[in-house]
Amino acid sequence: MDRLQKYIASMGYCSRRKAEELINRGHVKVNGLVVKEHGKKVSGNEEILIFDKPLVNKNTQKVYYALNKPRAVICTVRDPKQRKTVLDFFPRTQERLYPVGRLDYDTSGLVFITNDGDFANIITHPSYIIDKKYHAQVRGNFTKHDLQTITKGVVIDNNGLDFKTSRCQGRIVKNLFDENKTIVELIIHEGKNHQVKKMFDALGFDVLRLKRLSIGHFEMPQDLRVGQYMALKPKDVKKFFGDYQQNINDNSF
Ligand code: URA
C-alpha cells in the first residue's frame, strides 16, 4: 500500500508535490469519492480518477500491432458468448491491449491493437479523416454504373436515421462472371456500423466477403497471414500522430 500522492507520482502523472495539490483541491477521486486527506493509502486496485479521468500508468510502454483478423473472430476485448476475440491471438501480458475500432465478426483483415488511447482516438475519431480500404466480394455483376453510384454517396440507415455517405474512391478489382460475383474496392473514411455492407445493400448487392486492406497510409503487408500480427514501425505510428496534427491545422482554415 502506498500513500495516494506517492502512488499518483509513481504512475508518471506528476510530481508528488503536484499530486498533493491536486488532492487538496479535490480533483482526485478514489472509488467514486473525493479524497482530501494525504494519509489515504491505496493498493492500486482502486478506481482512481483525476479530473474525472482514469489514472493510467504513463510509464507503461506503448505498443502498436497490426493484426490480420480472420473471419469468425470478434473485435472486442471479451465476449460474453465466449467466441474467439482478437486478443486471443496475443500472449497474455501486463499491457492492457485492445482493438482500435471494429471489424464485423465475419469481416477479415487489418485491425490495429494497442494500449495507447491517444492512438486509438486518432484512428477512430470521426473528425480525423483517415481512409480505410476494403475489398468486398459481392453477389452479381457490379457494373461501372453501380460503381459511379456508390462512390458518389448513397443513403444508408444509421441507428434509425438516414445517413448520406461521403463521396469515396472505388474500383472494380475483378469480375468473376462464371461465379456471378464481383470484387470491388472501396476507400471510405467514415465508420458507421456495417457501413460498407449497407452501402452495397443500398444498391441491392449482397456482400459475401469483406476484407480491410489498409488504414491511412498503412497497407497490410501481403505476407501477413490470416491470424498473424506484426508490430508497427515507429515511423508508421509517428506518421499517424503527424497526419492527425496536420488535419487539425487543416480544419482551422
Ligand atoms: N463495413 C462493414 O460493413 N463491416 C466492417 O466490418 C467494416 C466496414
Side-chain angles (χ1 to χ4, degrees):
M1 298 280 274
D2 271 328
R3 279 173 190 260
L4 183 55
Q5 60 270 38
K6 185 174 174 202
Y7 182 74
I8 293 172
S10 75
M11 297 287 271
Y13 186 88
C14 59
S15 67
R16 208 184 293 191
R17 278 257 316 270
K18 186 92 189 120
E20 282 172 1
E21 252 178 70
L22 293 170
I23 295 169
N24 285 342
R25 293 187 182 174
H27 296 311
V28 181
K29 286 183 190 161
V30 176
N31 291 337
L33 297 175
V34 172
V35 172
K36 284 199 167 176
E37 357 108 44
H38 287 179
K40 174 82 181 167
K41 291 201 164 178
V42 290
S43 67
N45 290 326
E46 302 81 356
E47 183 198 46
I48 300 177
L49 303 179
I50 303 181
F51 295 112
D52 285 321
K53 289 204 178 126
L55 174 66
V56 289
N57 190 347
K58 293 202 174 165
N59 304 318
T60 307
Q61 206 198 344
K62 302 278 193 290
V63 292
Y64 310 88
Y65 299 107
L67 169 72
N68 186 354
K69 173 185 142 6
R71 287 154 60 100
V73 170
I74 190 129
C75 219
T76 53
V77 171
R78 235 167 275 109
D79 182 42
K81 294 188 196 158
Q82 315 297 331
R83 288 171 296 184
K84 203 170 177 128
T85 79
V86 283
L87 292 192
D88 289 336
F89 294 89
F90 292 81
R92 293 269 164 240
T93 58
Q94 294 285 70
E95 307 135 10
R96 292 204 187 160
L97 296 177
Y98 48 87
V100 177
R102 296 266 180 275
L103 277 186
D104 293 338
Y105 184 66
D106 60 354
T107 300
S108 63
L110 177 61
V111 184
F112 290 146
I113 309 283
T114 188
N115 58 356
D116 182 352
D118 293 334
F119 179 74
N121 191 40
I122 290 169
I123 308 291
T124 54
H125 200 282
S127 57
Y128 312 133
I129 295 169
I130 297 189
D131 284 335
K132 287 148 194 135
K133 189 199 291 177
Y134 295 90
H135 277 188
Q137 189 187 89
V138 301
R139 193 193 313 279
N141 178 21
F142 193 87
T143 63
K144 279 193 175 159
H145 179 258
D146 293 319
L147 188 67
Q148 272 178 4
T149 310
I150 205 166
T151 52
K152 273 187 196 156
V154 288
V155 176
I156 61 170
D157 172 77
N158 181 42
N159 295 328
L161 295 174
D162 280 354
F163 174 79
K164 170 102 191 283
T165 61
S166 298
R167 271 180 181 276
C168 65
Q169 289 169 263
R171 69 185 175 100
I172 293 173
V173 179
K174 216 184 232 178
N175 273 114
L176 304 167
F177 292 114
D178 294 351
E179 299 175 41
N180 191 33
K181 291 174 189 163
T182 316
I183 299 175
V184 186
E185 178 174 294
L186 276 194
I187 303 176
I188 63 169
H189 65 258
E190 295 145 331
K192 302 290 179 212
N193 233 352
H194 313 304
Q195 178 160 340
V196 174
K197 289 176 192 161
K198 285 179 183 173
M199 287 171 74
F200 282 101
D201 187 54
L203 275 71
F205 286 89
D206 264 354
V207 173
L208 304 172
R209 280 181 179 254
L210 185 62
K211 180 172 186 173
R212 183 156 68 192
L213 301 175
S214 69
I215 299 176
H217 63 277
F218 185 82
E219 298 257 350
M220 189 168 63
Q222 285 186 358
D223 59 1
L224 187 68
R225 279 177 292 148
V226 175
Q228 275 193 333
Y229 66 88
M230 57 176 276
L232 294 185
K233 295 200 177 87
K235 73 172 168 55
D236 280 324
V237 176
K238 270 196 197 139
K239 192 157 162 49
F240 278 109
F241 283 101
D243 286 351
Y244 146 76
Q245 270 152 6
Q246 182 66 44
N247 280 345
I248 288 191
N249 293 339
D250 290 349
N251 287 344
S252 64
F253 284 111

